[in-house]
C-alpha cells in the first residue's frame, strides 16, 4: 500500500488514489523510425531490480500525471517530480547515487 | 477432569451466568468467559478431532495460538465454521458443535486413519494413489476431500453487516499488555497522536496473571491507572477487541475489530476493518509459549503451562485435579505455584534442566512441590484424556523410571516473541542463542516510503521476558516512535518493576533427547494437521531440506493456527536432522493476517447493490419503470430492450427495430462519451489522436473518426463535431469515455506538454437522446423551436438552439441509417426532455429502443462496433476503413505501428458481409474453416464472424466477419461449423457488408 | 530410483520409514555441462525432464538461487485449463493439460492432477459473445470446451449466486477436463525424475554473471563457482529481465505482484474451478478444504513478493458477490508472487541475440498450467536450436513484426 507525494497538488496520496503508468522518460518514435527503434519504444523495458523511474497518475485526486523514482526491491520512494520533463532532476539522481553508490545511475 | 473452581476468576462475573449449547448439551458459564474457559469449566476436555488422523483433541492454549479447539458456531445466517473457542467471548444462547468427525465427537469413524497412521507418514499421498489413472479423481481424491476440511459448509447468506473505518495516526501500538500501555504512555507524552489496539476484551495482557509490582503498586492497579490516564488524553485512541492483523508497505496496517461477535444481532456491524496509516508502528504483541515434544503430547489434558495458569486466574477453571508440570524454563513454576495456591495437586514438576536453583524453583519446593531435575516425559498415558505420565531421564532414550497418575499436563518449552507483524512487511529476524528464539533484528526493520524503518517492537515482542526488562524496552520504543513521528523527545523515566533472577532456559526440542523412532512418531509438532517429529525427520531424509520444502511436504504450520505453536519446534527438529544451526534453516515466511479475519469484514459494505457503483443516466428511472431489461456496460446499466409483458426479449428487440425503421424510435444515448478538446493547438492535437484529418473539419460540421493505440490497433470511434475555431467535441463509446479521456491527458501532460490544449469530460453534464426514424423530424418540428430541416441542418452537421423550450445541441448523425437526430440537453433537463419527446411522439408511433436494436440496425447498415468488429487486435485497414485514415498527415498515434510487416501482410483477415445460404443466423463467435490442419494439428481457419443477427428488417440472418482475402472473394461461399453436436456446417456467401439501404436514401431526407 | 507405490509405503512403514531414499540429489556442480538451465522452478525442471526424455540429453545442470519450486511454482492457485482463444496459446496450454493427465504415472509421483472442470462465467453480453467465440475456436483446436447455460452452471456449482443484483450469471465456458494439481508436487516430481536421469539439481546457487565469447555463451559464474556449458537456457520467471541484463540483452517485460489467498478449510462444497472475470476473481476448493482465491495483478513494478491490500479487498468482494455463503469464512493467509508480463501478455519461448542461449519467460499469470507444455517446447528449442511448432509463434521477433498473441481479447484476467 504505497504512498506517493503528488507534486502537482501537494498531497501525500494513497495508492488507491493513484494509477501506475509504467516506465518514465521513454522517447517516442513515430513514422520514420527504424523497426528496432519502434520496437524498443513500445516494448523494451528496463524493469530493474532497484531504482525505477516511473509514471503515475493521481487519477482519483487532481488527475495529473507525475514521475517518481522508486525502488522495486524495497519500495522506497526517493522522490517525485513533474511529468513535464525529459529526465529526472539532477538533485534527485545525485541523492540516489549517494545512497546507493553501486547504482549504475540514470541513463 | 477440568472443572470450575469455587474461587478465582478475575475476568468472570459469577453473578451473571450464561447458558450455551455444545453438541446438543446445555452448559453453563459466566459473563467474561471465553467459550474455551466455559467448556473447560463445564468439564468438556474433548473438543474436536485432528485433520488427518482424527485423533481426539482438547484445548491446549488460551489465546489466538490455539490449534485444536475450533468449533462450528451459530446457526443459519450466523453459522460460522472454525471458530476459535479461546478467542470467542461467551454470550447467552451461544450454539456450537465440534468439527471433523462422524458420527460423533466421541465415536469418530475417521479415527481409523489413526490406527494405520504408521502407513500414512508425511507425503504418503505423493507416493501412491497413482494407479489406475482415473482412480485419483474418482476414488482417492473424494475420500481425501471428505475426510479433510474441518468445519461444515455454511448454507445461508450472511445476515450480518460489516464496515470500514479509516484512521490516520502518528503512532499505532499493537497490543494492550503492559508493554503496549507503557509504550503508549511514552509515545503520547511526546505529543504524537497515538492509537492502541488490543485483540482481547481486556487491557494488561498476561501481567495480571503473573502479578508483580510496577512503580510500587500492584501491576493490575498500574494497568488500570495507565488506561485511565491514556483515556483522558486527547491525542490517544484506545480500542479493545481489535487485532492488528497485518502490516503493509508505507505504514499501512489493518485493524480487525470484532464489534459484535459477542452480542450477535444487536444491530451493530459484526466486524469493522480499520485501514490505518501510521508513521510509526510499535508491535507490543507479546510472546507465545512453545509446547514440548514428548510422546503423547497431543492427548486432551496436555496443555501449555501458561494457559493452565490463565484458566485458573482469569476464569476460575482448572484443567485437572492433578497436574504434572513439565518444563525447560522457570516460567512454568508459576503455574505450579498458582495451582498449588488454588488447592490443586501438582505431583511433580519435571524439569529437563539438570540442576534448578532459581528463586521460582525454590518457591515451588517451599510450597511442597517435588521438582524432578534432568528429567523428561517418556510417555503420556491415556486416549481421550490424560491418565498419567511416565518419567524418564531427559538425557536418555526414554526408559520409564516412574509412572505418575495425573489428569492434566502443563508443559512449557520456553517462549517465542510474536514476530509475525514485524515480518509481514520485510522486517528481518535474528536467532537469540541464549533464549533460543527468533526475535526482531532492530537493525533491519521494515522500511517505509522514505527508506527509514517504521516498525518498532516493545516488551516480549522484542525478546524481553521479565517485567522489568519489558517495561524498560517498551518505554524506549514508545519514546522512539513518538520522536520519529515528529513528537518531542521524552524525558520521563520508564515505569519500574523489580528485577527478577531467572535461571537460563535450556532448549529442549525432543523429550527425551535420545527418543526412539516409536516415540518420535508420537511426538506432535502440529496438532491440527497431525505433523510429528518423525515426519519432519522423514522430510529431511528424503531431501526436502529447505524449511519451505519441509513445511509443504509435511504440512507443518499450514493449519489454521499457521504454526504459532509448531514452527519453532519444527524447524529446530529439521535443523537437528540436517545437522545445521537453526538460523541457517531459517523460518518460513510470515504472511498476514495474524489470525484469520472474516471475508465479510474484508468486503465491508461493498456487497449486493453496493458491490460496485451504478452509473445512471438522467432517464434511468424511466427505463426501470418501463420494465427495461438492462445490460451492464462498464458501470452503467443500459436498457437492452423494453419487453412487453407477453414478449420474449427477441420479440421485443424485433419490434423496436421495425418501429424505429417504420415510425419513430428513441434511444437514451447519454452514456456515450463526450469530450471537449479546446485550445489554440487543439487542431494539431486532434490530428494526432485521430487517424482522420480533424483540423480541417469546418465549424458546424461532424465527422466520423477513428482512434488507434500506439500499437496501431483500433481502440475507439465516434462522431467528432467542430464547435468553434479552437474547440472540438469528441463522442466516444460508452465504455471508452474515461479511458479515452485519460489517454488524451496522458499525451497532453507527458508528451506534448507545450501544446495549448484542454480536455474536459462532459459526459455526465449532458443527456443525449437519439431521435430516429422517418418521423424524427416531425416530432422535433412539433416540439418546435429551431429549424431542423434538411436544408438548414443537413446530414453530418450540428446546430445549437431550443427544442420544445429545452436548450439543445442537435447533431444530424445516424448510426441506424434512418433519418436521425442526436440531441444533447443539460443533464438536469434530460428526463423532462425524454418525457416531452414521448408525449409529442405518441401520434408518430414513438417507442424507445435498447442497445440490442441499436446493434442490429447498425449491423444492417454495415457499421462497425468497437468490441464486436474490434477486439484489440484489429487495425482500421482490416475493417476497410482506409478512407478514414488520412494520407496527408505525417504522424498520428498508431501510424508507425501500422507499417510493421505483420500489419501490412496481405493475408490479414478483412471485413466483409456474410449472408447465409438458408437464411439462418450464424452463431456468435463462429469461425470459417479452411483446408487441413496446422503444424499443431489444429484445424486451419480462414476467418470468423464478428457480428451476427437476425435482421427483422430483412427477415433473415445477416452477419459481418473477417475473412482472409475476403474483399477479393465476393460471392464465394465459406463454411462455419457449429457446435450443435451434430456437425452442422452453416454455409455463408461473402457479400457487401451493407445489407440495408445501400444508397443511403433513408437517411438522406 | 526406487519406485513409489502402496507396496513401498507398506514395506517402509514396517520399518518406520527409515529406508526412504532422497527424492533428488544435491551434488557439487561439475566443471561443465552440455546444457545449463537457470531456474529450478516448474518450467526449468520440465525443460530438463523433456531434454532427457525426448532428446536423450542428460548431462544437464539445473541451477537454482533459492530452493527448487520456490518461485511462482510454489505460490500459484494451481489452476489448469487450456480454453484459450488464439491458436498458439491453445496449442501449448492443451499440450500442457494433456501431459498433466498422465504426469503422476510418467513421473511416478502423485501430482494429484484433478480434472474437476473449470467454468469461466459470462456476466455481460460481450462476455457471452467472447466465450462463444472461444468455444468455437476450441472446437477447431482440439480443445474440449462448451458453452453452458445458467442452469447448468448452477448444477455444477450449487453454491453460486446466479442472480447477483449487479452482474447476473448469463452462462459460462466449461472445460470439463480442466482442474487443479498439487503445485509443489509438480516441481518435486520433475526434480526426482531429472535426478534419476543423472541430472544435477544445484540449489542455493545464484548466477552472478554470464560468460561469453564471440557472441556465444560459454558458461555462468555462480556463487558456487564458474560452470561451463554448451548451451544455456534461462527459465527464471520474476528474474528474467535481470538475468537477460547480465547476458547483455533486454526483454519486453514488466515484473508485477500477483496476489492470492486461502480461507480456512471447510468440508467439500465446490468441486469445480470458477473464474469470474467481470467481477475479477476466481476460486476453487483445495483437497484440504481451503477456498483458494485469486484476482488480478497489482499495477506497479515490484519484486517484493507482496502486494497491496486493496486488491485483496476487491477480489474478496467479487467472490462474496458470486458465492454469498463464503461471507462468514475467514481469510487464513494471503501472499504474493512476482509475474513477468510481456507486451502482449503472452509468453516468450525464444532464441536470443546470443546464439546458444534460449529464454523462456513472460508467462504472466498463466505459468503453472503451462509447465509441461512449456518444458516440452523449450526442450525442443534447446535441443534443436530452432523452435518446433509449439514454440514457433512465441519468439521475441513478434514484437518487432507486430504479430501479437493477445488473449485479453476473450477475458480480462488470464489465470
Amino acid at each position: 500500500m504505497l504512498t506517493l507525494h503528488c507534486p502537482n497538488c501537494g498531497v501525500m496520496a494513497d495508492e488507491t488514489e493513484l494509477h501506475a503508468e509504467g516506465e518514465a522518460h521513454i522517447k517516442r518514435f513515430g513514422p520514420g523510425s527504424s523497426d528496432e527503434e519502434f520496437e524498443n519504444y513500445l516494448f523494451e523495458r528496463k524493469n530493474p531490480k532497484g531504482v525505477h523511474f516511473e509514471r503515475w497518475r493521481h487519477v482519483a485526486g487532481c488527475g495529473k500525471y507525475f514521475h517518481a523514482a522508486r525502488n522495486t526491491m524495497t519500495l522506497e520512494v526517493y522522490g517525485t517530480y513533474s511529468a513535464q520533463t525529459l529526465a529526472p532532476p539532477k538533485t534527485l539522481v545525485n541523492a540516489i547515487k549517494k545512497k546507493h553508490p553501486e547504482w549504475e545511475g540514470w541513463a | 477432569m477440568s472443572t470450575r473452581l469455587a474461587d478465582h476468576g478475575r475476568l468472570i462475573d459469577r453473578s451473571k451466568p450464561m447458558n450455551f449449547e455444545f453438541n446438543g448439551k446445555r452448559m453453563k458459564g459466566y459473563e467474561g468467559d471465553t467459550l474455551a474457559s466455559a467448556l473447560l469449566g463445564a468439564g468438556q476436555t474433548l473438543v474436536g478431532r485432528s485433520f488427518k488422523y482424527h485423533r481426539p483433541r482438547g484445548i491446549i492454549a488460551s489465546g489466538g495460538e490455539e490449534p485444536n479447539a475450533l468449533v462450528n458456531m451459530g446457526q443459519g445466517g450466523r453459522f460460522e465454521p472454525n471458530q476459535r473457542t479461546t478467542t470467542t467471548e461467551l454470550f447467552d444462547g451461544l450454539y456450537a458443535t465440534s468439527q471433523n468427525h462422524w458420527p460423533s465427537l466421541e465415536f469418530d469413524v475417521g479415527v481409523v486413519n489413526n490406527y494405520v497412521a504408521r502407513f500414512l507418514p508425511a507425503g504418503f499421498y505423493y507416493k501412491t494413489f497413482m494407479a489406475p489413472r482415473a482412480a485419483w479423481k474418482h476414488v482417492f481424491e473424494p475420500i481425501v476431500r471428505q475426510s479433510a476440511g474441518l468445519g461444515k459448509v455454511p448454507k445461508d447468506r450472511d445476515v450480518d453487516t460489516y464496515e470500514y473505518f479509516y484512521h490516520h495516526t502518528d503512532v499505532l501500538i499493537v497490543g494492550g499488555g503492559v508493554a503496549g500501555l507503557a509504550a503508549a504512555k511514552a509515545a503520547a507524552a511526546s505529543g504524537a497522536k497515538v492509537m492502541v489496539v488490543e485483540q482481547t476484551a481486556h487491557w494488561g495482557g498476561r501481567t495480571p496473571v503473573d502479578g508483580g509490582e510496577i512503580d510500587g503498586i500492584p501491576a493490575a492497579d498500574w494497568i488500570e491507572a495507565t488506561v485511565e490516564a491514556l483515556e483522558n488524553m486527547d491525542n490517544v485512541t484506545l480500542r479493545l477487541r481489535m487485532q492488528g492483523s497485518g502490516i503493509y508497505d508505507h505504514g499501512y496496517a489493518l485493524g480487525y475489530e470484532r464489534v459484535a461477535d459477542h452480542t450477535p444481532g444487536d444491530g451493530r456491524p459484526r466486524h469493522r476493518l480499520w485501514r490505518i496509516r501510521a508513521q510509526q508502528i510499535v508491535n507490543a504483541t507479546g510472546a507465545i509459549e512453545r509446547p514440548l515434544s514428548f510422546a503423547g503430547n497431543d492427548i486432551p489434558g496436555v496443555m501449555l503451562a501458561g494457559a493452565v495458569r490463565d484458566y485458573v486466574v482469569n476464569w476460575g477453571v482448572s484443567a485437572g485435579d492433578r497436574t504434572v508440570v513439565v518444563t525447560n524454563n522457570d516460567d512454568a513454576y508459576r503455574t505450579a505455584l498458582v495451582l498449588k495456591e488454588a488447592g490443586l495437586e501438582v505431583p511433580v514438576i519435571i524439569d529437563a534442566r539438570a540442576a534448578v536453583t532459581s528463586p521460582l524453583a525454590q518457591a515451588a519446593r517451599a510450597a511442597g512441590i517435588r521438582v524432578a531435575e534432568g528429567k523428561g516425559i517418556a510417555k503420556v498415558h491415556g486416549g481421550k484424556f490424560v491418565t498419567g505420565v511416565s518419567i524418564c531421564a531427559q538425557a536418555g532414550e526414554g526408559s520409564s523410571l516412574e509412572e505418575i497418575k495425573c489428569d492434566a499436563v502443563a508443559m512449557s518449552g520456553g517462549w517465542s516473541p510474536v514476530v509475525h507483524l514485524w515480518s509481514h512487511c520485510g522486517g528481518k529476524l535474528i536467532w537469540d542463542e541464549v533464549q533460543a528464539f527468533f526475535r526482531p533484528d532492530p537493525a533491519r526493520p521494515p522500511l517505509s516510503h522514505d527508506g527509514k524503518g517504521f516498525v518498532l517492537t516493545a516488551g516480549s515482542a522484542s525478546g524481553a521476558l521479565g517485567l522489568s526488562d519489558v517495561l524498560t524496552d517498551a518505554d524506549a520504543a514508545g519514546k522512539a516512535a513518538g520522536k520519529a513521528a515528529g513528537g518531542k523527545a521524552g524525558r520521563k523515566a520508564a515505569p519500574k518493576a523489580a528485577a527478577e533472577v531467572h535461571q537460563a532456559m535450556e532448549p529442549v526440542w525432543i523429550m527425551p533427547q535420545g527418543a526412539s523412532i516409536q516415540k518420535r512418531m508420537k511426538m506432535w509438532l502440529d496438532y491440527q494437521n497431525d505433523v510429528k517429529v518423525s515426519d519432519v525427520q522423514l522430510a529431511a531424509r528424503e531431501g526436502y531440506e529447505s524449511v519451505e520444502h519441509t513445511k509443504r511436504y509435511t504440512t507443518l504450520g499450514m493449519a489454521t493456527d499457521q504454526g504459532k505453536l509448531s514452527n519453532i519446534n519444527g524447524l529446530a527438529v529439521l535443523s537437528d536432522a540436517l545437522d545445521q544451526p537453526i538460523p541457517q534453516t531459517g523460518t518460513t515466511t510470515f504472511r498476514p493476517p495474524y489470525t484469520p479475519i472474516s471475508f465479510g469484514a474484508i468486503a465491508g459494505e461493498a456487497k449486493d447493490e453496493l458491490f460496485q457503483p451504478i452509473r445512471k443516466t438522467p432517464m434511468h428511472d424511466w427505463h426501470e419503470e418501463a420494465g427495461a431489461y438492462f445490460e451492464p456496460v462498464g458501470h452503467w446499466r443500459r436498457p437492452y430492450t423494453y419487453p412487453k409483458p407477453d414478449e420474449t426479449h427477441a420479440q421485443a428487440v424485433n419490434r423496436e427495430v421495425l418501429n424505429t425503421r417504420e415510425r419513430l424510435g428513441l434511444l437514451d444515448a447519454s452514456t456515450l462519451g463526450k469530450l471537449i478538446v479546446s485550445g489554440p493547438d487543439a487542431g494539431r492535437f486532434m490530428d494526432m489522436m485521430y487517424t482522420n484529418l480533424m483540423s480541417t473539419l469546418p465549424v458546424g460540421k461532424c465527422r466520423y473518426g477513428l482512434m488507434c493505440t500506439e500499437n496501431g490497433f483500433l481502440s475507439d470511434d465516434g462522431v467528432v463535431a467542430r464547435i468553434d475555431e479552437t474547440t472540438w467535441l469528441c463522442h466516444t463509446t460508452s465504455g471508452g469515455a474515461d479511458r479515452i479521456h485519460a489517454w488524451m491527458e496522458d499525451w497532453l501532460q507527458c508528451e506534448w506538454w507545450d501544446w495549448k490544449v484542454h480536455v474536459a469530460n462532459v459526459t455526465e453534464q449532458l443527456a443525449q437522446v437519439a431521435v430516429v426514424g422517418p418521423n424524427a423530424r416531425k416530432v422535433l418540428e412539433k416540439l418546435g423551436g429551431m429549424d431542423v430541416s434538411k436544408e438548414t441542418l443537413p446530414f453530418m452537421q450540428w446546430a445549437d438552439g431550443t427544442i420544445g423550450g429545452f436548450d439543445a445541441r442537435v447533431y444530424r448523425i445516424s448510426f441506424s441509417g434512418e433519418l436521425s437526430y442526436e440531441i444533447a440537453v443539460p443533464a438536469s433537463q434530460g428526463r423532462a426532455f425524454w418525457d416531452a419527446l414521448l408525449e409529442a411522439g405518441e401520434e408518430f408511433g414513438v417507442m424507445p429502443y435498447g442497445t440490442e436494436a441499436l446493434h442490429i440496425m447498425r449491423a444492417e447498415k454495415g457499421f462497425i462496433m468497437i468490441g464486436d468488429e474490434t477486439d484489440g487486435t484489429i487495425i482500421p485497414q482490416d475493417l476497410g476503413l482506409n478512407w478514414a485514415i488520412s494520407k496527408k498527415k505525417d504522424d498520428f498515434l498508431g501510424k508507425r505501428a501500422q507499417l510493421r510487416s505483420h500489419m501490412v501482410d496481405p493475408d490479414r483477415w478483412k471485413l466483409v458481409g456474410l449472408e447465409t445460404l438458408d437464411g439462418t443466423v450464424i452463431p456468435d463467435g463462429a469461425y470459417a474453416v479452411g483446408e487441413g490442419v496446422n503444424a499443431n494439428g489444429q484445424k486451419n481457419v480462414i476467418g470468423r464472424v464478428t457480428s451476427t443477427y437476425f435482421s427483422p428488417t430483412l427477415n433473415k440472418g445477416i452477419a459481418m466477419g473477417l475473412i482472409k482475402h475476403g474483399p477479393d472473394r465476393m460471392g464465394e461461399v465459406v463454411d462455419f461449423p457449429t457446435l450443435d453436436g451434430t456437425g452442422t456446417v452453416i454455409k455463408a456467401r461473402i457479400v457487401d457488408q451493407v445489407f440495408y439501404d445501400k444508397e443511403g436514401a433513408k437517411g438522406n431526407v | 530410483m526406487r519406485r513409489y507405490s502402496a507396496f513401498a509405503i507398506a514395506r517402509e512403514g514396517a520399518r518406520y520409514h527409515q529406508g526412504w531414499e532422497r527424492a533428488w540429489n544435491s551434488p557439487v556442480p561439475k566443471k561443465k555441462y552440455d546444457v545449463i538451465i537457470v531456474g529450478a522452478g516448474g518450467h526449468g525442471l520440465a525443460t530438463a525432464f523433456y531434454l532427457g526424455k525426448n532428446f536423450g540429453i542428460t548431462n544437464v545442470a539445473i541451477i537454482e538461487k533459492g530452493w527448487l519450486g520456490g518461485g511462482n511454482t510454489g505460490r500459484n492457485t494451481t489452476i489448469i485449463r487450456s480454453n484459450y482463444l488464439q491458436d498458439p496459446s491453445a496449442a501449448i496450454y492443451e499440450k500442457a493439460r494433456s501431459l498433466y493427465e498422465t504426469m503422476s504415472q510418467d513421473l511416478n509421483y502423485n501430482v494429484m492432477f484433478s480434472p474437476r472442470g473449470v467454468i469461466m462465467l459470462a456476466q455481460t453480453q460481450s462476455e457471452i459473445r467472447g466465450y462463444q467465440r472461444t468455444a468455437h475456436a476450441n472446437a477447431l483446436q482440439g480443445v474440449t470446451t462448451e458453452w453452458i447455460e445458467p442452469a447448468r452452471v448452477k448444477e455444477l456449482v450449487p453454491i453460486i449466486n446466479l442472480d447477483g443484483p449487479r452482474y447476473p450469471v448469463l452462462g459460462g465456458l466449461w472445460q470439463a477436463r480442466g482442474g487443479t494439481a498439487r503445485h509443489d508436487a509438480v516441481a518435486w516430481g520433475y526434480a526426482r525424475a531429472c535426478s534419476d536421469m543423472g541430472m544435477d539439481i544445484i540449489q542455493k546457487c545464484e548466477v552472478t554473471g554470464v560468460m561469453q565469447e564471440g557472441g556465444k555463451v560459454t558458461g555462468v559464474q555462480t556463487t558456487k563457482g564458474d560452470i561451463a556449458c554448451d548451451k544455456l537456457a534461462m527459465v527464471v520467471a520474476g528474474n528474467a529481465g535481470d538475468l537477460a541484463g547480465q547476458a547483455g540483452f533486454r526483454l519486453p517485460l514488466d515484473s508485477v505482484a500477483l496476489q492470492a489467498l486461502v480461507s480456512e478449510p471447510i468440508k467439500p462444497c465446490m468441486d469445480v474451478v470458477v473464474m469470474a472475470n467481470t467481477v475479477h476473481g476466481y476460486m476453487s476448493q483445495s483437497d484440504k478444504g481451503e477456498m483458494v482465491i485469486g484476482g488480478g495483478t497489482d499495477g506497479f513494478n515490484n519484486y517484493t513478493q507482496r502486494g497491496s491490500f486493496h486488491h485483496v479487498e476487491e477480489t474478496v468482494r467479487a467472490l462474496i458477490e458470486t458465492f454469498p455463503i463464503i461471507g462468514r469464512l475467514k481469510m487464513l493467509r494471503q501472499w504474493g508472487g512476482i509475474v513477468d508480463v510481456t507486451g502482449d501478455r503472452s509468453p516468450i519461448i525464444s532464441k536470443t541475440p546470443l546464439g546458444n542461449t534460449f529464454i523462456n519467460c513472460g508467462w504472466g499469470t498463466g505459468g503453472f498450467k503451462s509447465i509441461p507444455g512449456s518444458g516440452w517446447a523449450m526442450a525442443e528449442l534447446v535441443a534443436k536450436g530452432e523452435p518446433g511448432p509449439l514454440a514457433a509463434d512465441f519468439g521475441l521477433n513478434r514484437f518487432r513484426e507486430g504479430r501479437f498473441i493477445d488473449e485479453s481479447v476473450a477475458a480480462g484476467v488470464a489465470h
Side-chain angles (χ1 to χ4, degrees), chain C residues 2 19 24 40 76 82 101 103 116 135 145 182 305 315 350 352 356 359 375 394 413:
Chain C
R2 263 185 272 170
W24 54 79
N76 63 81
S82 61
E101 292 261 7
M103 189 182 285
R116 293 186 263 132
T145 60
R182 175 82 182 93
Q305 294 193 332
T315 303
S350 184
T352 70
N356 58 343
I359 189 147
F394 291 102
V413 260

Side-chain angles (χ1 to χ4, degrees), chain B residues 241-461:
Chain B
R241 298 189 174 95
M242 178 155 152
Q243 179 184 84
S245 289
I247 292 180
Y248 300 81
D249 289 295
H250 295 190
Y252 189 90
L254 272 190
Y256 177 59
E257 186 181 10
R258 297 172 63 189
V259 180
D261 264 344
H262 60 300
T263 56
D266 72 348
R268 294 184 300 166
R270 180 174 171 236
H271 299 152
R272 194 176 277 148
L273 199 68
W274 292 64
R275 298 152 150 180
I276 303 165
R277 257 316 160 181
Q279 292 193 51
Q280 294 286 310
I281 300 175
V282 179
N283 288 337
T285 45
I288 290 176
E289 196 167 23
R290 297 196 292 251
L292 285 165
S293 298
F294 46 82
N297 64 350
D298 71 322
I299 294 170
V302 179
M303 296 172 67
L304 292 171
V308 170
R309 188 155 87 238
D310 288 343
Y311 284 112
V312 171
V313 178
N314 285 337
W315 297 290
V317 167
S318 66
D321 295 344
R322 272 173 71 83
T323 305
V324 165
V325 175
V326 55
T327 185
N328 64 347
N329 67 83
D330 278 5
D331 187 65
Y333 286 79
R334 291 197 177 99
T335 300
L337 289 167
V338 161
L339 293 172
K340 197 76 182 171
E341 188 271 333
L344 298 159
E345 278 188 66
V346 180
V348 62
I349 298 173
I350 302 168
D351 196 322
R353 295 174 294 182
V356 191
T357 55
S358 65
L360 272 166
Q362 299 303 15
R365 288 187 179 107
I369 303 172
R370 174 187 162 201
V371 178
E373 294 161 307
K375 298 294 187 291
I377 289 182
K379 185 183 182 195
V380 179
H381 300 277
K384 287 180 191 144
F385 48 89
V386 171
T387 58
V389 298
S390 291
I391 299 185
C392 63
Q394 168 60 17
E397 294 179 11
S399 317
S400 175
L401 302 175
E402 179 182 355
E403 203 171 305
I404 294 184
K405 293 241 173 290
C406 63
D407 56 1
V409 177
M411 63 181 164
S412 179
W415 293 76
S416 302
V418 173
V419 297
H420 299 64
L421 271 76
W422 171 267
S423 306
H424 283 168
C425 199
K428 299 289 184 288
L429 305 175
I430 43 176
W431 177 254
D432 186 317
E433 279 293 344
V434 177
Q435 311 200 75
F437 54 52
F438 282 104
R439 62 178 163 81
D441 180 354
R444 294 180 296 164
L447 302 179
S448 194
H449 64 92
D450 53 6
K452 295 179 185 144
F454 72 97
V455 184
L456 297 155
T457 56
S460 27

Side-chain angles (χ1 to χ4, degrees), chain C residues 265-286:
Chain C
I266 54 170
K267 290 292 175 190
C269 66
M270 190 170 99
D271 281 339
V272 306
V273 181
V274 178
M275 317 184 71
N277 290 325
T278 290
V279 296
H280 234 70
Y282 53 92
M283 184 168 97
S284 64
Q285 187 174 21
S286 73

Side-chain angles (χ1 to χ4, degrees), chain B residues 530-676:
Chain B
D530 282 322
V531 183
K532 300 160 294 176
V533 166
S534 57
D535 292 315
V536 169
Q537 292 171 331
L538 174 64
R541 186 177 317 122
E542 292 194 271
Y544 300 88
E545 295 171 344
S546 153
V547 64
E548 286 284 354
H549 283 155
T550 298
K551 165 188 155 181
R552 289 148 184 262
Y553 191 64
T554 63
T555 72
L556 175 79
M558 292 173 76
T560 63
D561 60 310
Q562 290 283 287
K564 291 188 180 68
L565 298 186
S566 62
N567 276 348
I568 300 292
N569 287 348
L571 63 92
V573 169
L574 177 63
S575 302
D576 180 63
L578 298 173
D579 199 19
Q580 68 188 22
I582 288 172
Q584 192 178 324
T585 304
T587 66
T588 54
T589 312
F590 295 91
R591 296 283 190 178
Y594 175 60
T595 64
I597 64 176
S598 66
F599 284 151
I602 295 171
E605 287 167 297
K607 58 178 183 178
D608 303 333
E609 295 288 353
L610 298 180
F611 167 56
Q612 281 179 1
I614 298 179
R615 295 177 78 180
K616 295 178 175 178
T617 72
M619 293 79 108
H620 187 92
D621 290 349
W622 188 92
H623 305 320
E624 277 194 350
E625 286 157 22
Y629 172 72
F630 287 97
E631 67 162 316
V633 178
H635 283 162
W636 298 104
R637 299 171 109 180
R638 301 192 71 186
Y640 174 93
T641 185
Y642 301 82
K644 293 187 171 167
D646 53 348
E647 277 181 328
T648 64
H649 290 175
Q651 287 168 336
V653 168
N654 291 347
R655 169 179 52 76
E656 290 169 11
V657 170
L658 293 173
N659 186 72
T660 303
R661 292 238 183 266
E662 289 161 15
R663 287 179 280 277
L664 179 59
L666 294 185
L667 176 81
D668 178 0
S670 307
T671 60
L672 277 188
K674 296 170 274 290
L675 306 176
I676 302 274

Side-chain angles (χ1 to χ4, degrees), chain A residues 10-74:
Chain A
V11 305
M12 200 68 185
D14 192 285
E15 190 185 326
T16 50
E17 295 171 36
L18 299 166
H19 191 263
E21 302 276 350
E23 190 175 319
H25 306 304
I26 292 172
K27 179 176 159 39
R28 177 170 186 259
F29 283 87
S33 58
S34 72
D35 278 356
E36 186 181 357
E37 284 168 334
F38 188 70
E39 180 195 1
N40 290 348
Y41 152 55
L42 274 194
F43 298 110
E44 190 187 85
R45 294 295 173 260
K46 295 197 176 85
N47 194 30
K49 281 190 168 176
V51 184
H52 190 234
F53 293 90
E54 59 194 15
R55 296 167 357 112
W56 287 84
R57 186 178 182 212
H58 195 185
V59 64
C62 65
K64 299 291 186 195
Y65 287 77
F66 62 90
H67 286 156
R70 188 181 56 88
N71 191 307
T72 60
M73 299 291 281
T74 65

